[in-house]
Amino acid sequence: MFTLFQRDDCHLCDQALAVLAQARVPGLDSVFVDDDAALEARYGLRVPVLRDAQGRELDWPFDVAAVEAWTR
């Protein structure tokens, strides 16, 4: 299970989603930080951020190779 923290109308988030699709990341959920004060405080300047089930986080920018290596 992976979660992408993102914002509405975020071109970097759109790019991250394209990379994750190319990397075929399974079980991807999206969480929008805009309407949550705690998430906004934590991720506001960092989005997009990919988090795995163990709580590890991969900050943007990342490419397919980086995602594949990180998800192993």
Side-chain angles (χ1 to χ4, degrees):
M1 175 90 156
F2 296 92
T3 303
L4 182 68
F5 292 93
Q6 62 179 325
R7 292 181 172 283
D8 287 324
D9 300 319
C10 169
H11 74 283
L12 296 178
C13 301
D14 294 339
Q15 291 175 17
L17 284 168
V19 167
L20 296 172
Q22 290 175 348
R24 299 177 192 253
V25 172
L28 181 64
D29 286 327
S30 291
V31 173
F32 291 85
V33 303
D34 300 302
D35 296 325
D36 185 308
L39 292 176
E40 173 71 30
R42 181 171 180 175
Y43 295 107
L45 297 177
R46 294 175 51 206
V47 294
V49 176
L50 182 63
R51 185 170 71 188
D52 69 9
Q54 292 77 36
R56 296 182 310 143
E57 295 182 342
L58 180 64
D59 286 21
W60 183 259
F62 46 77
D63 59 14
V64 172
V67 171
E68 288 174 345
W70 186 79
T71 56
R72 288 187 194 147

